[in-house]
Amino acid sequence: MARNIQSLERAAAMLRLLSGGERRLGLSDIASSLGLAKGTAHGILRTLQQEGFVEQDEASGRYQLGAELLRLGTTYLDVHELRARALVWTDDLARSSGESAYLGVLHQQGVLIVHHVFRPDDSRQVLEIGAMQPLHSTAMGKVLSAYDPVAHSEALDADRKAFTDRTVCDLGDFEHILDLTRARGYAADVEETWEGVASVAAPIHDRRRLPVGAVGVTGAVERLCRDGELRPELVAAVRDCARAVSRDLGAGRF
């Protein structure tokens, strides 16, 4: 069994200690509570302070939790708020489209699936919550790359791997697709990531009108496409779902 990293365990214990009780503690209090030498405790606190996880009050010298932890916690809550707001709408999307519905957010240079509603039939399906999808080839990835500057930058810097003969890897062609995505309000993936699979996705915005995720449906090409094009009623359903979730997040009308 792999051994835990002691310094990380001690840092985690410090953060837990500072999150309760008085919230502001001196070096001696922290070292004594955790059974550490003052020098060891000070070294860990200094590192946490440099990373923004801990702050030191100039007047008293006491330590408290830093703003970076608040930012990370807010990001975590935002994702869960997004999922909570989207539950009913994605259920309706899967039911009306007859296909699997997905909710994704930007994470580590890809799309993290945070919610997945099964296709409403008796077929065997695998829950894909927690799965990662590429930015450059999937419908949700293209949507995030088109609307989110961070995702756009990461998609440009990434190795745009060819998954099928249809995958767009050239930078100029990829930028053209993002322009098209912004112009029409949705993105498509017709056998660009998986052979025989198509998807369509649209952006979700929050109350600040910032892109916070994407919602879409995925299924067999023969079901999602007609005469080589995505069925317009599916595109409309996905866009309606994205607008509904955005409204619930306070974005107003898009």
Side-chain angles (χ1 to χ4, degrees), residues 51-212:
E51 295 299 325
F53 296 139
V54 164
E55 296 175 355
Q56 187 178 27
D57 181 68
E58 292 184 4
S60 66
R62 290 175 174 266
Y63 293 90
Q64 64 185 19
L65 294 180
E68 181 65 11
L69 275 180
L70 176 62
R71 186 189 69 80
L72 293 176
T74 301
T75 301
Y76 176 82
L77 291 173
D78 284 348
V79 170
H80 284 264
E81 180 185 4
L82 171 62
R83 183 177 180 275
R85 298 285 186 177
L87 287 176
V88 172
W89 299 112
T90 50
D91 282 347
D92 287 346
L93 178 60
R95 185 167 50 252
S96 64
S97 67
E99 301 295 341
S100 297
Y102 295 86
L103 186 69
V105 298
L106 176 66
H107 180 69
Q108 295 182 350
Q109 297 184 321
V111 182
L112 173 67
I113 304 301
V114 297
H115 186 52
H116 173 200
V117 184
F118 282 163
R119 185 171 64 253
D121 59 21
D122 296 327
S123 63
R124 184 175 180 179
Q125 300 173 61
V126 177
L127 189 65
E128 295 187 38
I129 293 175
M132 293 290 294
Q133 294 185 359
L135 287 170
H136 71 286
S137 63
T138 62
M140 285 197 293
K142 293 175 192 175
V143 161
L144 292 174
S145 299
Y147 287 90
D148 185 336
V150 175
H152 179 245
S153 177
E154 292 186 350
L156 297 189
D157 292 341
D159 178 19
R160 291 180 296 280
K161 176 182 176 182
F163 298 106
T164 73
D165 292 341
R166 293 173 175 261
T167 308
V168 175
C169 303
D170 177 77
L171 179 58
D173 293 340
F174 180 65
E175 289 281 27
H176 174 71
I177 288 175
L178 299 187
D179 289 340
L180 181 61
T181 297
R182 286 185 285 266
R184 63 188 185 181
Y186 71 91
D189 167 9
V190 180
E191 297 189 283
E192 292 180 46
T193 311
W194 302 281
E195 296 283 357
V197 177
S199 60
V200 56
I204 295 172
H205 297 81
D206 66 5
R207 59 185 174 277
R208 299 162 295 176
R209 297 292 182 105
L210 297 176
V212 292

Side-chain angles (χ1 to χ4, degrees), residues 30-52:
I30 295 172
S32 176
S33 296
L34 299 179
L36 299 174
K38 282 188 178 180
T40 301
H42 184 257
I44 296 173
L45 284 167
R46 187 171 62 248
T47 301
L48 291 173
Q49 186 178 0
Q50 289 172 350
E51 295 299 325

